[in-house]
Amino acid sequence: MKAHDGMYIDGGWRPAAGRDVIEVVNPADEQVIGRVPAGTAADVDTAVRAARSAFPGWAATPPAERAARLSALRDALAARKDEIAETVTAELGSPPKFSQSVHAGAPIAVAGTYAELAATYAFEEKVGNSTVYLEPIGVVGAITPWNYPLHQIVAKVAPALAAGCTVVLKPAEDTPLVAQLFAEAVHEAGIPAGVFNLVTGLGPVAGQALAEHPDVDLVSFTGSTAVGRQIGAVAGAAIKKVALELGGKSANVILPSADLAAAVNVGVANVMSNSGQTCSAWTRMLVHADRYDEAVELAATAAAKYGERIGPVVSEKQRARVLGYIEKGVAEGARLVAGGSEPPREQGYFISPTVFADVTPEMTVAQEEIFGPVLSILRYEDEEDALRIANGTVYGLAGAVWAGEEAEAVAFARRMDTGQVDINGGRFNVRAPFGGYKQSGVGRELGTHGLAEYLQTKSLQF
């Protein structure tokens, strides 16, 4: 697996300031597949200075030209689709088919949407006797997670570039190799030097230095709510804008009129996707008491089919975290109907697809984000009870509602405190805004709403 031994800064690969490296481990076989530099505050400073220097020129670049560079970036990513998928499979453990369709395919699609938006977005408008201009906010510090490593990079970098901002990216230390592929694509696309910069490193070192840097105008972070709080505090002290996409504990609400088999099977698939490492996963299944036992049986059967189909979780640390939650669920009285804490394989960070029944709303497995292939099934008595349970966590990122009639599902979904709800299995839309209520974050990604995060407003009166 190819890995650069430097940082992509100011249009080229530069030696790191220090000598420390990060070993990248394949979670399926626990073998080291590459090494990248562990960036320091000095590396971050060099990258931010490059981005600051490049900002006036890129901000002044006509939107049509920015759109052309983003189109070229999309094409460069598409040309690397197989390599991207193979890299994500190696460093994240994602099954090859999922890596091709989602980890490689979705970012290419997102890049294409921002190539279009850069050319068509109304960056100015007339309002009475005023002209309102939407201008790039400046230098963006992007800190991305490991669970959808390229998608999250593109979801931040592409709208920032479309807006006219320059970027310093600090990718997750578990999955830095695909970030290096992205930097190669940026270079090939002819995006000017300094407009995009990459610093690999650890969160408490490089990530913190980026969030704290006085020349960074906006910090866009995806990750845990705990780290999001820290970044929000740092940004608040400097009156610096943040965009935070944080945790989730999404409810999959199956109303009595729904097709139960379809709702349960799709719900289990949603939780097992990406080995459960999805912030928007529907990890709480809510079923009416009259159909609860049937739903539990269906879910247990469906989960058993994923035993050989899902990949490992990303690291030994993550496996230990997930297994700890499974053990806590048992200790608090939840009933295991599939999976458990026994390792399914001798090698690799694998976890058995796990389903808990008899979960009550106050249990830890019903309140906290587990980030593994673990589903909790909760019983409700009536619609108001279901709504109380669905809204009864600190999170509000996503969710689902199933009903016999679409209007019934929509009426319930409108009362959920969450940012995105799928109706009767609605498909993910790369143009729709993605983000959460409550402690699931601040701001939105994707589409026009994602572009707006990187703009600030100026009005001129005549």
Side-chain angles (χ1 to χ4, degrees):
M1 190 67 59
K2 182 176 71 173
H4 291 279
D5 60 2
M7 312 290 190
Y8 185 79
I9 296 175
D10 204 19
W13 294 96
R14 316 289 182 189
R19 295 184 178 181
D20 290 344
V21 299
I22 297 169
E23 291 188 337
V24 185
V25 175
N26 183 329
D29 61 16
E30 305 178 45
Q31 300 301 305
V32 175
I33 57 172
R35 294 172 176 82
V36 300
T40 66
D43 294 306
V44 169
D45 183 63
T46 300
V48 172
R49 284 190 284 109
R52 176 58 63 194
S53 178
F55 173 66
W58 184 245
T61 299
E65 175 58 22
R66 297 202 297 264
R69 293 305 96 212
L70 284 166
S71 292
L73 175 60
R74 176 202 58 207
D75 294 344
L77 291 172
R80 289 169 167 79
K81 186 175 182 180
D82 289 345
E83 187 178 6
I84 288 167
E86 291 168 3
T87 300
V88 175
T89 291
E91 61 182 351
L92 180 62
S94 173
K97 185 176 180 180
F98 192 77
S99 292
Q100 272 280 341
S101 62
V102 176
H103 287 295
I108 294 167
V110 172
T113 68
Y114 283 112
E116 296 172 12
L117 278 173
T120 60
Y121 192 81
F123 289 99
E124 64 178 82
E125 63 173 332
K126 297 290 289 185
V127 181
N129 65 307
S130 303
T131 300
V132 178
Y133 296 91
L134 299 176
E135 300 179 342
I137 199 165
V139 175
V140 172
I143 304 173
T144 56
W146 46 260
N147 61 324
Y148 289 90
L150 184 59
H151 170 71
Q152 288 296 154
I153 289 170
V154 174
K156 297 181 187 304
V157 176
L161 299 189
C165 297
T166 56
V167 179
V168 177
L169 168 68
K170 204 298 285 185
E173 50 263 35
D174 291 300
T175 54
L177 302 181
V178 75
Q180 292 190 339
L181 288 180
F182 179 78
E184 292 176 0
V186 165
H187 193 85
E188 184 179 310
I191 292 172
V195 170
F196 170 80
N197 307 273
L198 169 67
V199 176
T200 54
L202 301 175
V205 180
Q208 183 170 338
L210 185 57
E212 293 178 345
H213 201 289
D215 277 338
V216 169
D217 301 292
L218 180 153
V219 181
S220 180
F221 169 77
T222 297
S224 72
T225 298
V227 176
R229 287 193 191 98
Q230 296 172 10
I231 289 174
V234 168
I239 317 298
K240 182 183 302 187
K241 185 176 180 181
V242 295
L244 304 174
E245 199 270 280
L246 307 174
K249 195 68 183 176
S250 301
N252 179 18
V253 182
I254 305 174
L255 296 176
S257 62
D259 180 335
L260 185 67
V264 171
N265 286 325
V266 173
V268 171
N270 175 277
V271 173
M272 302 307 159
S273 178
N274 209 41
S275 302
Q277 300 168 128
T278 303
C279 54
S280 57
W282 311 333
T283 52
R284 293 181 298 145
M285 182 179 289
L286 278 56
V287 185
H288 190 274
D290 290 347
R291 307 193 74 183
Y292 185 82
D293 291 341
E294 183 184 357
V296 169
E297 185 176 347
L298 286 168
T301 300
K305 298 176 182 177
Y306 287 88
E308 298 297 323
R309 291 164 56 181
I310 66 172
V313 294
V314 72
S315 65
E316 174 59 35
K317 177 182 177 182
Q318 184 64 14
R319 180 174 64 175
R321 180 179 188 271
V322 175
L323 293 180
Y325 274 110
I326 293 173
E327 292 166 1
K328 194 159 194 176
V330 172
E332 292 182 357
R335 174 167 57 98
L336 270 175
V337 296
S341 58
E342 288 297 317
R345 305 188 193 184
E346 292 183 0
Q347 187 179 45
Y349 309 132
F350 291 89
I351 296 173
S352 295
T354 297
V355 177
F356 279 114
D358 300 339
V359 177
T360 56
E362 71 277 3
M363 288 182 179
T364 302
V365 294
Q367 289 291 322
E368 297 185 11
E369 185 176 46
I370 297 172
F371 230 58
V374 182
L375 170 66
S376 297
I377 309 180
L378 295 89
R379 181 187 286 104
Y380 68 86
E381 299 299 328
D382 55 31
E383 190 170 301
E384 292 305 313
D385 190 33
L387 186 67
R388 176 185 63 80
I389 295 169
N391 289 339
T393 76
V394 298
Y395 297 112
L397 184 57
V401 182
W402 301 77
E405 297 294 332
E406 183 178 288
E408 181 186 6
V410 169
F412 188 95
R414 290 296 305 272
R415 296 202 291 160
M416 293 173 71
D417 298 334
T418 192
Q420 190 171 72
V421 185
D422 294 344
I423 303 298
N424 288 337
R427 293 180 295 110
F428 185 73
N429 181 0
V430 297
R431 297 176 183 270
F434 182 82
Y437 289 23
K438 301 188 285 187
Q439 292 186 27
S440 283
V442 177
R444 293 295 182 269
E445 293 185 328
L446 304 179
T448 56
H449 295 79
L451 178 59
E453 294 293 334
Y454 299 92
L455 296 168
Q456 55 189 348
T457 306
K458 177 185 291 179
S459 64
L460 273 61
Q461 286 61 248
F462 296 90

